[in-house]
Amino acid sequence: MNCEEHIISILVNNKPGVLSRVSGVFGRLGYNIKSLCVAETTDPEISRITLVSKANSGFTEKTKKQLNKLVDIIEVTELKPTKSVQREMMLIGINLKKKVRSEVMRAIDMFGCKMIFMKSDYCILEIVGDKDETETILNYIKPLGIEEIARTGIIALQQKNSNKT
Protein backbone atom coordinates (compact mmCIF):
# COMPACT_ATOMS: atom_id res chain seq x y z
CA MET A 1 0.00 0.00 0.00
CA ASN A 2 1.47 3.35 -1.12
CA CYS A 3 0.69 5.82 1.71
CA GLU A 4 0.99 9.54 1.14
CA GLU A 5 -0.19 12.67 2.91
CA HIS A 6 -3.48 14.16 1.76
CA ILE A 7 -4.58 17.71 2.64
CA ILE A 8 -8.35 18.05 2.65
CA SER A 9 -10.19 21.38 2.86
CA ILE A 10 -13.82 21.10 3.94
CA LEU A 11 -16.26 24.01 4.02
CA VAL A 12 -19.02 23.32 6.53
CA ASN A 13 -21.97 25.03 8.14
CA ASN A 14 -20.73 26.41 11.45
CA LYS A 15 -22.98 24.35 13.73
CA PRO A 16 -22.44 22.24 16.85
CA GLY A 17 -21.50 18.61 16.18
CA VAL A 18 -20.23 19.08 12.61
CA LEU A 19 -16.57 18.51 13.51
CA SER A 20 -17.50 15.40 15.46
CA ARG A 21 -19.37 13.97 12.48
CA VAL A 22 -16.50 14.81 10.10
CA SER A 23 -13.90 13.17 12.34
CA GLY A 24 -16.26 10.20 12.79
CA VAL A 25 -16.12 9.56 9.03
CA PHE A 26 -12.32 9.26 9.20
CA GLY A 27 -12.52 6.94 12.21
CA ARG A 28 -15.13 4.68 10.57
CA LEU A 29 -13.01 4.42 7.42
CA GLY A 30 -9.93 3.59 9.51
CA TYR A 31 -7.95 6.75 8.73
CA ASN A 32 -6.01 8.70 11.32
CA ILE A 33 -6.14 12.50 11.24
CA LYS A 34 -2.54 13.71 11.44
CA SER A 35 -3.42 17.40 11.89
CA LEU A 36 -6.62 19.39 12.07
CA CYS A 37 -7.41 23.10 12.04
CA VAL A 38 -10.89 24.61 12.14
CA ALA A 39 -11.92 28.27 12.01
CA GLU A 40 -14.67 30.51 10.73
CA THR A 41 -14.32 31.96 7.25
CA THR A 42 -15.24 35.57 6.45
CA ASP A 43 -18.83 34.35 6.83
CA PRO A 44 -19.40 33.40 10.50
CA GLU A 45 -22.00 30.85 9.36
CA ILE A 46 -19.30 28.85 7.52
CA SER A 47 -16.12 27.24 8.85
CA ARG A 48 -13.16 25.76 7.01
CA ILE A 49 -11.75 22.47 8.27
CA THR A 50 -8.24 21.76 7.03
CA LEU A 51 -7.01 18.29 7.84
CA VAL A 52 -4.09 16.10 6.94
CA SER A 53 -4.28 12.32 6.81
CA LYS A 54 -1.86 9.70 5.55
CA ALA A 55 -3.45 7.10 3.32
CA ASN A 56 -3.42 5.30 -0.03
CA SER A 57 -4.49 6.85 -3.33
CA GLY A 58 -8.15 5.76 -3.02
CA PHE A 59 -8.49 7.81 0.14
CA THR A 60 -9.77 11.06 -1.35
CA GLU A 61 -12.67 9.68 -3.36
CA LYS A 62 -13.73 7.34 -0.56
CA THR A 63 -13.70 10.09 2.10
CA LYS A 64 -15.29 12.67 -0.24
CA LYS A 65 -18.18 10.32 -0.94
CA GLN A 66 -18.77 9.73 2.79
CA LEU A 67 -18.31 13.38 3.79
CA ASN A 68 -20.72 14.60 1.11
CA LYS A 69 -23.43 12.44 2.71
CA LEU A 70 -23.27 14.63 5.83
CA VAL A 71 -25.90 17.37 6.05
CA ASP A 72 -23.67 20.33 6.92
CA ILE A 73 -20.93 19.76 4.34
CA ILE A 74 -20.73 22.51 1.71
CA GLU A 75 -17.60 21.51 -0.23
CA VAL A 76 -14.77 18.96 0.04
CA THR A 77 -11.51 19.59 -1.83
CA GLU A 78 -8.17 17.81 -1.81
CA LEU A 79 -5.40 20.42 -1.91
CA LYS A 80 -2.45 19.27 -4.00
CA PRO A 81 0.90 20.59 -2.69
CA THR A 82 1.84 22.06 -6.08
CA LYS A 83 -1.49 23.88 -6.46
CA SER A 84 -1.99 25.24 -2.96
CA VAL A 85 -0.30 27.49 -0.44
CA GLN A 86 0.39 25.79 2.89
CA ARG A 87 1.62 27.08 6.23
CA GLU A 88 2.05 25.83 9.76
CA MET A 89 2.70 27.86 12.88
CA MET A 90 4.59 26.68 15.95
CA LEU A 91 5.13 28.29 19.32
CA ILE A 92 8.24 26.90 21.00
CA GLY A 93 9.14 27.54 24.63
CA ILE A 94 12.87 27.31 25.40
CA ASN A 95 14.77 27.55 28.69
CA LEU A 96 17.48 30.13 28.04
CA LYS A 97 20.54 28.66 29.67
CA LYS A 98 23.68 30.69 28.98
CA LYS A 99 25.12 28.09 26.62
CA VAL A 100 22.02 28.05 24.33
CA ARG A 101 21.19 31.76 24.30
CA SER A 102 23.49 32.55 21.36
CA GLU A 103 22.16 29.55 19.38
CA VAL A 104 18.58 30.75 19.93
CA MET A 105 19.57 34.19 18.64
CA ARG A 106 21.29 32.55 15.65
CA ALA A 107 18.08 30.60 14.88
CA ILE A 108 16.09 33.84 14.95
CA ASP A 109 18.51 35.47 12.49
CA MET A 110 18.97 32.43 10.26
CA PHE A 111 15.34 31.31 9.96
CA GLY A 112 13.38 34.51 10.55
CA CYS A 113 11.81 33.22 13.75
CA LYS A 114 10.04 35.77 15.88
CA MET A 115 10.67 36.17 19.62
CA ILE A 116 7.20 36.84 21.04
CA PHE A 117 7.97 36.47 24.75
CA MET A 118 11.20 36.72 26.69
CA LYS A 119 12.39 36.66 30.27
CA SER A 120 15.96 36.30 31.43
CA ASP A 121 15.68 32.47 31.56
CA TYR A 122 12.87 31.60 29.13
CA CYS A 123 11.57 32.61 25.70
CA ILE A 124 8.83 31.70 23.28
CA LEU A 125 9.57 31.68 19.56
CA GLU A 126 6.98 31.88 16.78
CA ILE A 127 7.81 29.92 13.66
CA VAL A 128 5.73 30.12 10.48
CA GLY A 129 6.45 28.33 7.22
CA ASP A 130 5.65 25.42 5.00
CA LYS A 131 6.08 21.89 6.35
CA ASP A 132 9.73 21.56 5.26
CA GLU A 133 10.67 24.95 6.71
CA THR A 134 9.06 24.33 10.10
CA GLU A 135 10.60 20.84 10.33
CA THR A 136 14.06 22.23 9.50
CA ILE A 137 13.76 24.91 12.18
CA LEU A 138 12.38 22.42 14.71
CA ASN A 139 15.30 20.04 14.07
CA TYR A 140 17.75 22.91 14.56
CA ILE A 141 16.12 24.02 17.83
CA LYS A 142 15.48 20.56 19.38
CA PRO A 143 19.04 20.12 20.73
CA LEU A 144 18.74 23.50 22.48
CA GLY A 145 16.17 22.10 24.89
CA ILE A 146 12.53 22.70 24.01
CA GLU A 147 10.38 22.89 27.11
CA GLU A 148 7.01 23.22 25.36
CA ILE A 149 5.65 23.24 21.83
CA ALA A 150 2.26 24.01 20.29
CA ARG A 151 1.58 23.54 16.57
CA THR A 152 -1.33 24.50 14.38
CA GLY A 153 -0.91 21.72 11.88
CA ILE A 154 -1.16 22.64 8.23
CA ILE A 155 -3.53 25.32 7.01
CA ALA A 156 -3.86 25.72 3.26
CA LEU A 157 -5.69 27.46 0.44
CA GLN A 158 -6.06 26.46 -3.18
CA GLN A 159 -4.18 28.68 -5.62
CA LYS A 160 -6.57 30.39 -8.01
CA ASN A 161 -5.85 30.74 -11.71
CA SER A 162 -6.20 34.19 -13.14
CA ASN A 163 -8.14 34.45 -16.40
CA LYS A 164 -6.72 37.90 -17.18
CA THR A 165 -4.39 38.20 -20.15
Side-chain angles (χ1 to χ4, degrees):
M1 180 163 80
N2 184 17
C3 283
E4 54 189 41
E5 275 191 3
H6 298 268
I7 303 167
I8 306 294
S9 175
I10 309 165
L11 290 176
V12 299
N13 291 319
N14 190 6
K15 294 183 177 176
V18 173
L19 179 59
S20 176
R21 289 189 293 279
V22 167
S23 64
V25 166
F26 284 80
R28 281 192 306 280
L29 293 174
Y31 296 120
N32 185 43
I33 296 173
K34 188 174 177 183
S35 75
L36 175 72
C37 185
V38 183
E40 289 180 354
T41 62
T42 54
D43 179 349
E45 299 292 315
I46 297 173
S47 288
R48 178 181 306 278
I49 300 172
T50 305
L51 62 82
V52 178
S53 188
K54 203 166 193 166
N56 61 19
S57 59
F59 163 84
T60 303
E61 287 311 310
K62 194 184 302 183
T63 54
K64 252 183 161 177
K65 191 181 286 186
Q66 294 300 310
L67 289 168
N68 281 322
K69 290 179 183 178
L70 301 178
V71 175
D72 289 305
I73 300 295
I74 298 168
E75 182 180 56
V76 180
T77 308
E78 179 169 13
L79 301 176
K80 299 290 183 187
T82 57
K83 296 183 179 179
S84 62
V85 175
Q86 305 161 30
R87 291 291 178 264
E88 177 182 32
M89 185 178 86
M90 293 189 287
L91 298 177
I92 298 178
I94 303 170
N95 284 322
L96 286 178
K97 300 176 187 121
K98 276 192 180 215
K99 60 185 178 184
V100 301
R101 189 178 301 265
S102 64
E103 285 300 314
V104 169
M105 295 307 165
R106 187 173 294 129
I108 290 169
D109 288 340
M110 231 169 35
F111 299 114
C113 304
K114 194 174 183 182
M115 176 97 58
I116 59 171
F117 176 82
M118 184 170 179
K119 284 188 167 183
S120 62
D121 61 346
Y122 183 78
C123 73
I124 298 176
L125 299 181
E126 175 187 87
I127 291 126
V128 178
D130 66 28
K131 183 181 172 199
D132 291 339
E133 292 167 337
T134 57
E135 285 300 318
T136 298
I137 297 166
L138 183 59
N139 288 333
Y140 182 87
I141 293 175
K142 269 183 188 173
L144 305 180
I146 295 172
E147 184 172 311
E148 292 182 281
I149 186 169
R151 300 174 83 160
T152 60
I154 291 174
I155 57 171
L157 288 175
Q158 188 82 33
Q159 294 174 358
K160 299 291 182 188
N161 293 331
S162 174
N163 293 333
K164 296 178 184 174
T165 53

